[in-house]
Amino acid sequence: MFACLFQSQTLLNQLREITGIQDLQVLQSALNVCLVQQHLSMYSGVDCLTYSCFYSRALEVSAEENAACMKRKRCEGSGESCSPADWIRQEDCPVGIRNVGNTCWFSAVIQSLFHLPVFRRLVLNYCLSERVLEKCKSHSEKRNIAFMQELRCLFALMVGSNRRFVDPSAAVELLRDAFRTSEAQQDVSEFTHKLLDWLEDAFQLAANGNNPEDKQNNPMVQLFYGTFVAERLHEEKIVSNIEQFGQYPLQVNGFNNLDECLEGAMVEGEIELLHSDQTMSSGQERWFSKLPPVLTFELSRFEFNQSLGRPEKIHKKLEFPQVIYMDRYLHKNVDQTHGRRGEVKRLKDQLTVLQQKLEGYKNYGSGPAKYPLADMLQYVLEFVTTKPTNVSPASVPTNPSVHTEPSSDDAGSSDGSGCPQTATQRFRSDSPFTQCRPPIEVPLQPAPHSVTEEELYFVRSCLQRWRAEVENTINELKASIDKVSQALEGMYSDNSLCQVPYRLHAVLVHEGQASAGHYWAYIYDHANKRWLKYNDVMVTESTWEELVRDSYGGMTNASAYCLMYINGKLPYLIAEDTDNETGQVLKGMDSLPSIMRCYVREDNRWFQQELREWEEQFCQAQREEAQVQTHTEKAIPEEPQNPEQEPNPEPVQEQTNEMMLTPAMQGVIFAIAKARQVFDKDGPEAGLIKAFHEEYSRLYELSQEETTPQQDPRLQHVLVYFFQNQAPNRVIERTLLEQFADRNLSFDDRAISIMREARSKIRLIKPEDMDMDEYLQWHDDYSMFKTVFAYLLTGLEQYQNGKIREALNYLAHAHQDNSVLLRKGEKKGVDQSLIALYRRKCLKELNENAATLFKSPDENDVAEAVTIMNECIIPCMHLMVRDSVSQEDLDVIELIRSCWCSYLGQDMDDSVQEKLSEFLPRVLDCSAEMVVLKEPPKVRNSPHDLCSRLTAVMESIHSTSVVTVK
């Protein structure tokens, strides 16, 4: 059981994200408890003639079963730290939907529909007359009615429930039964279409019971369905027919944005007549004749790989706007659009020619290597104008030592400038710039042996003229490209083609591959003008930037697969319910029909009872544990009271008040699982010894793994850090024993027995057997190590996001604390060169920003520049000088000093001159004051979090893209 539970860390993280619960027992329950609710049988044998009784009973049973289901989950999954607040809905917060096994797609679709007020009203007010019910004899009709009632109950709970999330099991099971399966995420598209078909059929019964074929009054058709005109050539004539569509499919491959997708979908080839032996080839055009109020685009991000014999996901980037104007795709604008498409084609052809010409200048040459033509001409000009030398190239010695540092024998001589001289001056081409340059005996650049003044004049004039011509041509090409690009961008932006705006309402996102993955939705909150992210039970406020990052695709394996737009000129789509008399907006329970209000109130009453029962069970469990603990302590002889004997010293604890499923805990539980047979055969002590050796061996092998830029094994466990730094065995063994004594492992009898055995052994450790000061110091070092890593990663993330000031603060702290660790041992800290490199980058960029602000005529900018110098740059410079400063750091410090010294003697206001005179001495003298760095905000430093962030940050550095850590 444990092997399955901990085989995939991703699964546990998903469970934690889905449930919002950190308790181990709740996560264990989530993996083992079946959540299936059999509601369909409730409808199969019901007499439709007694609809009112049938419906009332359906609501009653549904409320009872929903409450019973939640109660079972509460009882089975309750844990010591599982707070009732985790289950209670916050005020004005939307309700999440529980994932009941590969149903995240259902949550995404339902949430996007529910948060359309016009659709929500349709579902909540759905009702069939007894006359219509009498005619519903077929299984499909009864099933559709059952599904509609379950959806109605689900919507009512999402409106007025006190729960943070609701359970959709009943509605989901009806869908699954239709496919005779309970798994298969690859059928998500079929599930979604089936759901919409059932909704359409159910509304059809309510809209027109007499004529099922007439769908004019079906609200689903009116809301989600439109029509388009398909035109094609047939026997030299244009033939057109009108077709209906719901979710409009769009191809992603070959297109960069939504407009390009639509253009590709609307035009297949070109409609033109070609005579060739009485045969014709023709294309087809589509034009929207009627757009639905809710326009849904289905992005085809999956394709079948014939060579591999399996489906694959298309991760290509595809941009889409928040507002799209559909005028250019309407049949009524066909003539206007045709003319502009011809102009677009002409401009694109022109743009292609211009870009090809520009490319010829940027990558010039007949061989495999291409270079900018202007640079090549400049290089030839530099070669020609280099003065020839009298030294023959053959006479230059080819001694390999010319690239090495001076030997110790030569280091004693000096020319008085502080630069060592040698008999034969050696010069390193890769050494940093210094004030002492070696005397040049051989030209550093190739040069012609001899050039006459006439030749030099002729060649120079030609090269300069040609280079000027090339640069002018390049600039003209760039200007032409910009002009054509602007013309293309504005082709459809005039007012006549911006009359039909559609605003983005929801984006449905898939993360993963074609065979498996996770779904969530971004939905616009029209009332509060914000984006919300609906990820199963988690509902969080989001931003357009986060939506773009997760939805465009191309950067990660997450991308949008469905876009839902609504007509921007139809306010009723997003209008909330109002009171007929007062006109006030109805919220919560007030917006529900009376029968639905009763249903939700009953469910809330059940929920309150569950909370009371949970509290009683929790208190009882606490009392029982206290009794067991007291009994155990009485059975063991008491040792003399000494603070050093506490089994769990506070500084060592890395837990919070919540039960965290840390990597350390995972390893311990997995070791306990491996020791199951020994435990069952020989008892708790033997089981503890076996589990102890299993975990000890695993961590020792992990400590032998090579550290890479993307992975540091020390972050995964404190004992890996101890092994690599050769900590005393007594420190290692007690630390691991503390892991087995963790109270959070009390999830079954075997684990509880091993936990008690570990606590007993800890109590047997005497003061003379363990130096607690040494023990605590090792744990303090590891805590500082994680903090250094957290500062470093946060600084790099801030740097890549353009927050240079914050990044410098984190990196300065990281460098300072890391220096303390490295003085204790090479493996006790982080590679200092990476911290120093980005500290220099931040320092240079921040100094440039301060210098720019200081030259501004605005007093506020000048004050901001002074603040940057006093709070960030100068303290960091002082710390750099006091440490063992490198040449690269000295170069940056000298660059900063030179920058501010250049202001001396310049004309400036007296107040600005005074400010300069105040901080400039501190820039020049870094030893005159005590330096105190500003404390950075607290950072998260859990081992698993640091491991994932390290991988993301280092991959981002190598790919030069913005850091994104989930």
Side-chain angles (χ1 to χ4, degrees):
M1 177 179 66
F2 298 106
C4 294
L5 178 61
F6 297 102
Q7 186 177 6
S8 173
Q9 180 63 37
T10 302
L11 176 59
L12 290 173
N13 292 337
Q14 288 178 347
L15 279 175
R16 188 178 304 166
E17 180 182 6
I18 290 170
T19 60
I21 300 168
Q22 306 296 330
D23 186 78
L24 178 62
Q25 294 187 26
V26 177
L27 293 175
Q28 183 70 31
S29 174
L31 287 173
N32 294 297
V33 176
C34 178
L35 303 178
V36 177
Q37 298 296 306
Q38 299 295 338
H39 282 254
L40 181 58
S41 60
M42 183 173 64
Y43 296 94
S44 58
V46 175
D47 186 0
C48 293
L49 294 176
T50 57
Y51 172 73
S52 58
C53 297
F54 156 76
Y55 186 49
S56 300
R57 178 57 185 157
L59 293 178
E60 180 183 350
V61 173
S62 182
E64 292 173 356
E65 289 198 11
N66 186 53
C69 180
M70 295 300 291
K71 180 178 178 181
R72 286 199 303 275
K73 294 189 185 89
R74 175 69 68 183
C75 295
E76 294 171 356
S78 61
E80 291 178 322
S81 63
C82 183
S83 170
D86 293 337
W87 304 79
I88 300 176
R89 179 183 184 180
Q90 301 299 314
E91 186 177 0
D92 296 330
C93 181
V95 173
I97 299 178
R98 180 189 287 274
N99 189 325
V100 292
N102 286 343
T103 59
C104 45
W105 65 270
F106 181 86
S107 173
V109 174
I110 291 300
Q111 290 282 19
S112 63
L113 294 174
F114 172 82
H115 288 282
L116 267 176
V118 62
F119 181 78
R120 183 168 66 239
R121 283 191 293 271
L122 287 173
V123 173
L124 290 173
N125 293 291
Y126 181 82
C127 184
L128 295 179
S129 65
E130 293 186 10
R131 181 179 59 83
V132 173
L133 283 169
E134 292 174 0
K135 297 181 179 180
C136 297
K137 303 298 183 181
S138 67
H139 172 75
S140 60
E141 290 176 332
K142 292 181 179 180
R143 179 204 59 207
N144 292 346
I145 294 173
F147 179 78
M148 201 64 205
Q149 301 305 340
E150 291 295 349
L151 189 62
R152 191 183 184 197
C153 294
L154 185 65
F155 272 29
L157 290 175
M158 293 170 70
V159 170
S161 178
N162 293 333
R163 305 178 192 268
R164 188 166 64 88
F165 52 87
V166 295
D167 192 317
S169 297
V172 170
E173 284 309 310
L174 290 172
L175 278 170
R176 283 176 168 169
D177 287 344
F179 285 87
R180 295 291 187 269
T181 179
S182 60
E183 299 294 336
Q185 271 196 327
Q186 60 267 26
D187 293 329
V188 165
S189 179
E190 295 179 62
F191 273 121
T192 305
H193 285 288
K194 181 66 67 177
L195 184 152
L196 297 177
D197 289 342
W198 286 8
L199 290 174
E200 180 184 344
D201 293 342
F203 277 112
Q204 184 63 28
L205 291 173
N208 196 339
N210 294 327
N211 185 8
E213 301 300 325
D214 184 7
K215 297 186 177 183
Q216 295 297 322
N217 297 323
N218 189 319
M220 280 291 291
V221 174
Q222 294 174 346
L223 199 57
F224 295 98
Y225 286 80
T227 57
F228 63 84
V229 178
E231 297 181 343
R232 60 185 178 85
L233 278 175
H234 179 68
E235 295 181 356
E236 301 187 11
K237 294 182 180 180
I238 295 180
V239 179
S240 63
N241 60 294
I242 298 177
E243 300 179 23
Q244 190 181 64
F245 71 92
Q247 290 181 295
Y248 199 83
L250 295 175
Q251 295 295 324
V252 172
N253 261 348
F255 305 107
N256 298 314
N257 55 58
L258 185 59
D259 277 315
E260 289 185 7
C261 289
L262 281 167
E263 287 283 353
M266 306 304 280
V267 180
E268 296 180 4
E270 297 182 4
I271 297 184
E272 56 181 358
L273 207 55
L274 299 177
H275 297 277
S276 177
D277 296 332
Q278 302 301 320
T279 62
M280 294 179 294
S281 63
S282 64
Q284 180 171 280
E285 288 186 347
R286 295 185 181 91
W287 301 89
F288 292 118
S289 54
K290 178 187 175 184
L291 289 171
V294 181
L295 180 58
T296 305
F297 296 118
E298 188 179 67
L299 305 181
S300 299
R301 283 201 171 271
F302 300 99
E303 62 181 2
F304 191 81
N305 190 318
Q306 296 289 347
S307 59
L308 298 178
R310 66 185 182 206
E312 288 186 341
K313 184 177 178 182
I314 302 170
H315 294 289
K316 186 183 184 301
K317 181 179 180 181
L318 184 77
E319 299 178 358
F320 49 85
Q322 296 193 61
V323 178
I324 184 171
Y325 294 94
M326 298 298 296
D327 305 71
R328 60 198 273 195
Y329 309 109
L330 295 179
H331 190 258
K332 66 179 182 180
N333 297 326
V334 59
D335 293 334
Q336 189 176 4
T337 305
H338 265 155
R340 302 200 181 206
R341 281 181 180 169
E343 180 65 13
V344 166
K345 186 177 184 303
R346 185 187 67 80
L347 289 175
K348 284 186 175 180
D349 292 342
Q350 182 181 349
L351 184 63
T352 301
V353 173
L354 292 172
Q355 290 172 338
Q356 289 174 349
K357 288 182 178 180
L358 181 61
E359 184 67 17
Y361 282 98
K362 287 185 174 181
N363 294 282
Y364 183 83
S366 57
K370 311 288 184 181
Y371 303 97
L373 180 56
D375 292 349
M376 294 174 68
L377 294 172
Q378 177 63 28
Y379 298 154
V380 174
L381 179 60
E382 292 173 0
F383 171 78
V384 172
T385 55
T386 301
K387 293 183 178 180
T389 177
N390 294 327
V391 180
S392 172
S395 66
V396 179
T398 58
N399 190 346
S401 65
V402 70
H403 294 294
T404 62
E405 293 292 334
S407 65
S408 58
D409 296 336
D410 299 328
S413 62
S414 174
D415 64 353
S417 62
C419 297
Q421 302 293 315
T422 62
T424 301
Q425 186 70 35
R426 297 176 178 87
F427 177 75
R428 287 185 55 182
S429 60
D430 60 341
S431 62
F433 177 80
T434 62
Q435 295 180 351
C436 303
R437 293 184 177 273
I440 301 178
E441 298 177 356
V442 180
L444 298 181
Q445 299 292 339
H449 290 183
S450 63
V451 180
T452 64
E453 289 298 328
E454 182 180 358
E455 290 174 335
L456 182 61
Y457 173 79
F458 177 75
V459 174
R460 177 189 291 168
S461 60
C462 289
L463 289 173
Q464 289 176 341
R465 174 166 53 84
W466 293 339
R467 185 171 185 272
E469 291 174 356
V470 168
E471 290 178 342
N472 290 336
T473 303
I474 290 175
N475 292 333
E476 291 173 358
L477 287 172
K478 288 181 177 180
S480 299
I481 289 173
D482 291 340
K483 184 178 179 180
V484 174
S485 299
Q486 291 175 5
L488 282 171
E489 291 175 2
M491 186 60 63
Y492 298 100
S493 61
D494 61 89
N495 191 52
S496 63
L497 290 178
C498 295
Q499 300 299 310
V500 187
Y502 271 74
R503 300 187 179 278
L504 188 62
H505 165 69
V507 179
L508 278 61
V509 180
H510 174 267
E511 180 182 37
Q513 301 302 325
S515 58
H518 183 57
Y519 295 83
W520 67 86
Y522 289 100
I523 303 173
Y524 190 66
D525 181 358
H526 300 276
N528 298 305
K529 309 296 183 186
R530 60 178 180 173
W531 284 98
L532 295 176
K533 181 179 181 180
Y534 293 82
N535 191 351
D536 290 333
V537 301
M538 302 296 293
V539 181
T540 55
E541 188 169 351
S542 185
T543 61
W544 174 250
E545 290 71 25
E546 181 185 2
L547 185 154
V548 166
R549 187 168 59 248
D550 286 349
S551 306
Y552 276 8
M555 293 180 288
T556 65
N557 60 353
S559 55
Y561 74 95
C562 184
L563 306 175
M564 187 177 292
Y565 284 86
I566 59 175
N567 193 316
K569 291 190 174 182
L570 299 177
Y572 77 89
L573 295 174
I574 57 175
E576 299 290 344
D577 291 324
T578 56
D579 186 88
N580 294 330
E581 296 180 358
T582 63
Q584 293 182 342
V585 175
L586 299 176
K587 294 184 178 180
M589 299 282 282
D590 295 335
S591 64
L592 295 176
S594 58
I595 192 170
M596 289 288 100
R597 281 200 296 270
C598 296
Y599 170 72
V600 175
R601 287 196 187 101
E602 182 67 12
D603 184 80
N604 287 338
R605 186 183 66 80
W606 277 100
F607 182 50
Q608 292 300 322
Q609 182 176 338
E610 292 169 31
L611 294 179
R612 288 192 296 270
E613 292 178 359
W614 182 92
E615 291 174 359
E616 292 173 0
Q617 293 175 3
F618 177 74
C619 295
Q620 179 66 22
Q622 291 280 59
R623 288 192 294 269
E624 291 177 357
E625 182 181 349
Q627 292 174 359
V628 171
Q629 184 70 20
T630 303
H631 178 75
T632 304
E633 291 176 355
K634 288 181 179 180
I636 299 175
E638 292 289 337
E639 294 290 338
Q641 293 295 323
N642 191 320
E644 296 180 348
Q645 291 180 269
E646 291 297 325
N648 290 309
E650 286 299 322
V652 181
Q653 291 292 332
E654 298 177 1
Q655 304 167 358
T656 63
N657 292 331
E658 293 185 346
M659 293 185 184
M660 300 294 292
L661 197 62
T662 62
M665 189 186 302
Q666 298 166 24
V668 168
I669 295 178
F670 195 74
I672 293 175
K674 286 188 172 182
R676 180 176 63 249
Q677 294 182 352
V678 175
F679 176 93
D680 295 338
K681 180 181 179 181
D682 301 323
E685 184 176 5
L688 172 62
I689 294 174
K690 173 65 175 175
F692 186 97
H693 284 292
E694 288 285 348
E695 183 66 357
Y696 188 100
S697 301
R698 182 185 74 86
L699 294 174
Y700 181 80
E701 292 177 3
L702 184 60
S703 70
Q704 304 304 306
E705 292 185 1
E706 183 180 357
T707 300
T708 66
Q710 288 81 16
Q711 182 178 1
D712 193 325
R714 294 175 296 175
L715 291 175
Q716 299 186 33
H717 201 286
V718 60
L719 287 191
V720 176
Y721 182 87
F722 288 176
F723 279 128
Q724 291 196 3
N725 287 283
Q726 300 178 350
N729 286 335
R730 57 183 177 273
V731 174
I732 293 175
E733 291 172 359
R734 172 160 185 147
T735 300
L736 185 54
L737 203 58
E738 294 276 6
Q739 303 278 352
F740 283 91
D742 194 322
R743 65 183 299 176
N744 291 337
L745 300 176
S746 55
F747 51 84
D748 65 7
D749 293 340
R750 186 186 299 108
I752 292 173
S753 299
I754 289 180
M755 177 192 70
R756 291 173 179 170
E757 188 68 24
R759 290 185 176 184
S760 300
K761 291 192 177 296
I762 290 175
R763 292 191 186 98
L764 295 176
I765 300 176
K766 298 179 181 180
E768 59 268 21
D769 297 331
M770 174 64 66
D771 184 351
M772 289 304 296
D773 291 337
E774 178 189 42
Y775 178 83
L776 296 177
Q777 185 59 54
W778 274 97
H779 283 274
D780 288 341
D781 288 347
Y782 184 65
S783 178
M784 180 180 285
F785 168 79
K786 292 192 299 179
T787 301
V788 167
F789 241 115
Y791 283 158
L792 169 61
L793 297 177
T794 306
L796 294 177
E797 291 165 358
Q798 298 281 18
Y799 175 78
Q800 288 212 324
N801 285 286
K803 299 180 179 179
I804 309 301
R805 194 169 177 176
E806 294 84 352
L808 180 61
N809 192 21
Y810 281 112
L811 293 171
H813 274 279
H815 196 283
Q816 189 177 27
D817 294 344
N818 197 48
S819 299
V820 176
L821 289 175
L822 291 177
R823 283 194 287 267
K824 298 181 180 181
E826 180 183 358
K827 289 285 188 178
K828 283 205 168 185
V830 184
D831 182 12
Q832 195 81 309
S833 62
L834 181 64
I835 307 177
L837 171 64
Y838 279 88
R839 183 179 63 172
R840 289 193 298 271
K841 290 187 175 183
C842 290
L843 203 58
K844 290 172 64 177
E845 292 187 28
L846 199 57
N847 183 71
E848 292 172 0
N849 295 341
T852 302
L853 291 172
F854 195 78
K855 292 185 290 186
S856 171
D858 190 341
E859 294 181 359
N860 294 329
D861 290 344
V862 175
E864 179 66 13
V866 175
T867 301
I868 293 175
M869 294 299 299
N870 289 330
E871 294 183 1
C872 301
I873 296 179
I874 294 176
C876 188
M877 290 174 58
H878 287 204
L879 289 174
M880 291 169 67
V881 171
R882 294 180 185 184
D883 292 335
S884 54
V885 61
S886 65
Q887 183 61 48
E888 291 85 355
D889 288 344
L890 283 176
D891 291 342
V892 172
I893 292 173
E894 288 301 322
L895 181 67
I896 295 174
R897 289 171 175 171
S898 301
C899 171
W900 292 103
C901 286
S902 66
Y903 286 93
L904 297 175
Q906 295 186 13
D907 293 334
M908 60 180 68
D909 294 340
D910 293 340
S911 60
V912 177
Q913 185 71 42
E914 182 180 356
K915 289 183 173 63
L916 178 64
S917 62
E918 289 175 357
F919 71 80
L920 185 57
R922 298 172 59 215
V923 173
L924 299 176
D925 184 6
C926 296
S927 60
E929 62 180 286
M930 183 71 179
V931 180
V932 179
L933 277 177
K934 179 182 177 182
E935 282 294 325
K938 291 185 178 180
V939 292
R940 57 189 189 276
N941 65 349
S942 68
H944 173 72
D945 183 49
L946 291 177
C947 289
S948 59
R949 290 174 64 198
L950 173 63
T951 301
V953 168
M954 297 311 296
E955 288 180 355
S956 176
I957 289 176
H958 292 302
S959 64
T960 67
S961 62
V962 177
V963 175
T964 302
V965 181
K966 295 186 180 181

